[in-house]
Amino acid sequence: MKAPDEIRAAFAAHPRHRFIPDLVWPEPQGLPLARSADPRRWAAYVYDDDAVVTQANDGGSGMINTPSSSSSAPEMMAGMIEAAGVAPGARVLEIGTGTGWNAAVLASLVGPSGSVTSVEIEREVAEQARERLAGTGVRVIVGAVPTEGVYDAVIATCSAHRVPLEWVRHLSAEGVLVLPWAPYESGGPTPIAALSGGREGRFTGDGSFMRDRTQRVPAPRFPGMGREIERKGAVPFGAEELLERDLLTRLVLASPGIWITLGARPWQEATAPIIALEAGESWAYLWPDGSTTGGGPSDLPAELAEIHAVLDGAGWPELTEFTLEVLDDRPHRVRAAGLGPWDHHL
């Protein structure tokens, strides 16, 4: 884990397995994995470097195990804590208690002179976290964010499309809001932003986080389903190149008028990733070799190619060079190294 020594020490003081429940969901389909049934596999999953799914389908069942609560990847947690500037004596508000592991790490960092308040929307999850957090001094609240309190840092472990002003209002004058921000109402990337005063700041890294439950909307239909191909073409880059070079999130941030999502389709006697585009009645698929198919009034691949050329001409600014600005009752605004602004309508 790449993190300052004090953050590494806080993680070491709270081993992850103490906060993970007996049942976990390592696969997108099938039954959960029980610790009692296969302790070695359970431990291997828990001590992997990735997120651990601790609840699927909001506690219900389904053909697909859609994650609804999890323990975030340790390196992601450490990066968010560092971005928030958590230090001894800090007052921290956490949105999304989950297992309680992140809250325990925060409690060690703020020490006895600081405080950690953690909010969890689901009562059963909150009660389990309270048991694991006994003796840490963390206050766990069930339901909505409290109306009172001033905090030096607010850390959200769930993503938000609209940055909630109730989170911003809790910050002190020098406080920082760290949250995974979702450019789209549903799906898509959720890069992490660290906003001074909850208003403006840089993205610190990429991530994949579940949506804040108050902002969930039904997933849209995949672009082009049931539509006839009206247009074929090509662009100077393919789906595989964008994914291999990790360019997709930056394209999303610079393309507020186009919905960009991933899919898979038969390709050259196998299955390959494609990038799907949609805007209004227009849709398109970008194939691995740069060929495109689509329909509707707009040539979306050509529009994407224009945005690609702008970013390419600027040397592809790193994600950490992109900034997010939160505006009251107006679109959230993204800029990057002299480029933009790109207004993301809410």
Side-chain angles (χ1 to χ4, degrees):
M1 182 191 300
K2 299 177 182 178
D5 290 344
E6 59 271 20
I7 294 180
R8 294 171 62 90
F11 273 86
H14 301 284
R16 192 182 201 183
H17 70 271
R18 295 180 183 173
F19 295 86
I20 305 299
D22 182 64
L23 288 181
V24 292
W25 280 258
E27 304 295 339
Q29 291 182 292
L31 296 174
L33 168 63
R35 179 181 190 174
S36 55
D38 194 339
R40 289 190 177 183
R41 186 182 170 209
W42 183 92
Y45 179 51
V46 168
Y47 278 101
D48 190 21
D49 292 334
D50 210 343
V52 172
V53 179
T54 56
Q55 186 194 73
N57 305 316
D58 294 332
S61 59
M63 295 293 293
I64 302 295
N65 295 325
T66 302
S68 51
S69 191
S70 69
S71 170
S72 299
E75 189 168 346
M76 194 77 65
M77 291 168 55
M80 294 174 73
I81 292 169
E82 184 176 7
V86 176
R91 300 160 295 177
V92 181
L93 174 65
E94 179 189 42
I95 311 296
T97 311
T99 65
W101 188 36
N102 194 62
V105 171
L106 289 168
S108 287
L109 289 168
V110 303
S113 60
S115 66
V116 177
T117 300
S118 187
V119 180
E120 172 57 49
I121 196 167
E122 189 165 327
R123 183 170 297 278
E124 183 178 352
V125 173
E127 292 300 332
Q128 291 173 352
R130 274 201 188 105
E131 293 178 7
R132 301 182 190 111
L133 288 165
T136 63
V138 174
R139 179 172 66 132
V140 178
I141 296 175
V142 180
V145 173
T147 56
E148 79 289 345
V150 177
Y151 300 92
D152 303 302
V154 176
I155 300 176
T157 62
C158 53
S159 66
H161 174 58
R162 301 175 306 280
V163 176
L165 293 182
E166 58 266 29
W167 299 359
V168 175
R169 292 192 199 102
H170 280 290
L171 283 169
S172 63
E174 302 299 323
V176 178
L177 167 62
V178 178
L179 83 160
W181 180 64
Y184 302 141
E185 280 192 299
S186 178
T190 55
I192 299 161
L195 308 177
S196 298
R199 294 297 186 175
E200 187 173 5
R202 293 188 179 277
F203 290 98
T204 64
D206 215 343
S208 180
F209 287 79
M210 292 170 282
R211 195 61 45 91
D212 172 43
R213 295 196 188 188
T214 66
Q215 294 192 19
R216 282 184 183 174
V217 299
R221 191 178 185 185
F222 194 79
M225 296 297 291
R227 303 280 298 275
E228 294 292 331
I229 295 174
E230 303 172 18
R231 184 185 299 110
K232 294 183 179 180
V235 294
F237 50 88
E240 286 185 346
E241 178 190 345
L242 296 184
L243 296 174
E244 288 173 359
R245 294 179 60 194
D246 197 23
L247 303 180
L248 202 56
T249 295
R250 282 170 277 179
L251 280 171
V252 168
L253 292 174
S255 312
I258 305 174
W259 182 46
I260 305 173
T261 191
L262 288 173
R265 289 291 184 274
W267 173 258
Q268 296 181 350
E269 301 181 356
T271 299
I274 65 162
I275 292 171
L277 314 173
E278 187 172 63
E281 292 300 312
S282 300
W283 66 277
Y285 293 161
L286 172 60
W287 296 88
D289 65 349
S291 60
T292 65
T293 53
S298 299
D299 188 347
L300 296 183
E303 293 182 19
L304 187 69
E306 290 181 7
I307 298 161
H308 184 284
V310 169
L311 293 173
D312 195 57
W316 284 99
E318 294 295 331
L319 185 59
T320 52
E321 296 179 67
F322 283 72
T323 62
L324 175 65
E325 182 183 1
V326 176
L327 306 168
D328 290 342
D329 301 321
R330 285 185 287 165
H332 293 349
R333 180 166 290 170
V334 174
R335 291 186 173 90
L339 304 178
W342 301 291
D343 287 345
H344 288 255
H345 295 275
L346 306 178

